[in-house]
Every structure is written in structure tokens, then in C-alpha cells.
Amino acid sequence: DTGVSQDPRHKITKRGQNVTFRCDPISEHNRLYWYRQTLGQGPEFLTYFQNEAQLEKSRLLSDRFSAERPKGSFSTLEIQRTEQGDSAMYLCASRIEGYEQYFGPGTRLTVT
Amino acid sequence: AQSVSQHNHHVILSEAASLELGCNYSYGGTVNLFWYVQYPGQHLQLLLKYFSEDPLVKGIKGFEAEFIKSKFSFNLRKPSVQWSDTAEYFCAVLTGGYQKVTFGTGTKLQVIP
């Protein structure tokens, strides 16, 4: 499969726990994006990487959120001390310049 | 900051009816525009894209969209919808040096057989 993959697909956690999600982009794509999507809303931009450099972060990304892309390939998104309001679908997308984004299937987070 | 407005939140049509979904964006510079579709239980898929070519863009499954720069609009159209077009449709704009993509809130389309 040569598409964007995300792991895990579903995560249920208790409030206060830390969670980490992984995204593997399409191999030649140097640009990687994280979004959050809640019911009835479009994807909300969280952060963007070009290669290993994190070039932009949304104000939505509080201090409890951190993202990395250490070797310019896969990326991780960590949420510390989760809150119920963090429950959402977390989407990853990748692209190369001049082309559209390709989305992964998402990780659905439920914080109880 | 850029924003995208989709005016229709929920549209119900009968099969064979024509479809037009509105999308307006706010950004003064060069933009690339997209329509994505999300079928129930599936992830976002690209319907069509505008990258500075012909303002009338044709996509998959008979969809098309027209970029009207003076109106900051990129409306999606299909002359005759099918039941299988039932899905949520998102307009998105790519802007700026950092290549940020902003999505609208989506339009749920329900096609009745």
C-alpha cells in the first residue's frame, strides 16, 4: 500500500494520560500536515512539516501537544495530560509541492 | 488569516437533480483550491483541484468547479446527482509560503433515490 498510513486507528484513553499517534506519509512526500476533525466540522490545521522542519503551528496546538518528524519521514503527534475536549479524529496528510494533499484514514481518539 | 465558508451545511436532493455547493474564501494572494469528499466511513479523497490553470476544473465522477477570482468563489457543481454521491463535501484553500491548507466546515449531501 503506497498511501498515507496512521497508527493506531482508534485510541481510548483516560483523562490525564499521554497518547502518541504515528503517521507514515507517502514515501516521496516531503510535506506533512496534522489536522484535527470533530463532528460536524472540517479538518482544523494543527501543524505542518517540510522535511524534518516544523514550519507552522496552529494556536489550537496547546503546550500539551507536540509533533515531531525526526528524519523527515514518519511523524508523531503526542498529547500529554489528555482532556475530554481532545476527543476527535486526528488526520495526517502528505504532499509534494505543486500537488494536492493525500490523507490518511485518521486516528480516532476518545478520552473518557 | 485565511478562511473558507461553505454556506450550505446540509443539502437534500433527489436523484438526477442538479447540484451546486457554494464555497467562498478570504485571502488576497495566490491560492490553490480543492474539493474533497468523505463518504460514510471512509477518509478524505480529492474530487478536484485548481492550480492556476483553466478556471473551470473537471474532477472525478462528473463533478466540476469554477474558480471566480473576483468573487473569491470556487463552487462545486454536478448536473445530475446519484444516490452514491451521498457524502460530506469539503472545500479547501492552500495559501502562503508555508503552504497552509484551510478547510471549510463541510456540506452534507443526501441524495434520495
Side-chain angles (χ1 to χ4, degrees):
Chain A
D1 189 324
T2 57
V4 178
S5 61
Q6 292 186 246
D7 184 67
R9 296 289 303 275
H10 302 273
K11 178 71 177 178
I12 300 173
T13 191
K14 292 186 177 177
R15 190 176 55 182
Q17 298 295 304
N18 299 344
V19 294
T20 300
F21 308 142
R22 177 179 170 124
C23 171
D24 286 90
I26 294 171
S27 59
E28 63 269 25
H29 287 189
N30 63 338
R31 297 168 195 246
L32 187 147
Y33 300 75
W34 284 99
Y35 293 88
R36 181 171 67 188
Q37 186 176 20
T38 53
L39 206 60
Q41 299 295 318
E44 295 175 293
F45 171 80
L46 292 179
T47 191
Y48 159 60
F49 289 86
Q50 185 169 320
N51 300 311
E52 65 275 10
Q54 188 175 20
L55 296 187
E56 189 166 356
K57 289 170 59 172
S58 165
R59 286 169 294 176
L60 291 173
L61 218 64
S62 76
D63 291 345
R64 297 184 297 105
F65 287 71
S66 62
E68 292 183 343
R69 195 182 182 199
K71 296 181 182 177
S73 56
F74 74 92
S75 175
T76 57
L77 178 69
E78 181 183 15
I79 309 175
Q80 295 182 327
R81 305 181 304 280
T82 51
E83 301 173 356
Q84 286 187 320
D86 297 331
S87 295
M89 178 75 86
Y90 289 84
L91 298 170
C92 177
S94 69
R95 63 185 288 264
I96 52 175
E97 186 169 356
Y99 291 86
E100 67 277 13
Q101 294 180 317
Y102 289 80
F103 281 84
T107 294
R108 182 168 295 285
L109 173 66
T110 303
V111 181
T112 62
Chain B
Q2 63 269 34
S3 65
V4 178
S5 298
Q6 290 183 243
H7 313 297
N8 316 102
H9 298 294
H10 195 181
V11 172
I12 302 174
L13 293 172
S14 298
E15 272 193 317
S18 64
L19 170 71
E20 181 159 2
L21 301 183
C23 173
N24 287 90
Y25 67 93
S26 64
Y27 185 75
T30 302
V31 294
N32 300 131
L33 295 156
F34 309 88
W35 276 97
Y36 281 87
V37 61
Q38 191 166 28
Y39 297 103
Q42 297 188 26
H43 58 273
L44 284 159
Q45 301 170 41
L46 183 73
L47 261 186
L48 47 78
K49 59 186 178 182
Y50 170 77
F51 267 88
S52 304
E53 61 275 18
D54 187 337
L56 184 60
V57 179
K58 294 196 183 297
I60 61 171
K61 304 187 180 185
F63 286 91
E64 65 177 33
E66 185 174 11
F67 173 50
I68 304 179
K69 190 174 180 180
S70 60
K71 295 185 178 180
F72 297 90
S73 71
F74 190 57
N75 292 354
L76 180 71
R77 300 193 293 247
K78 185 171 183 179
S80 176
V81 294
Q82 300 173 314
W83 176 78
S84 59
D85 293 324
T86 294
E88 192 158 14
Y89 293 80
F90 295 94
C91 181
V93 58
L94 171 69
T95 62
Y98 287 152
Q99 305 282 286
K100 178 178 174 177
V101 179
T102 302
F103 282 80
T105 52
T107 298
K108 282 197 172 98
L109 172 65
Q110 184 179 355
V111 180
I112 301 169

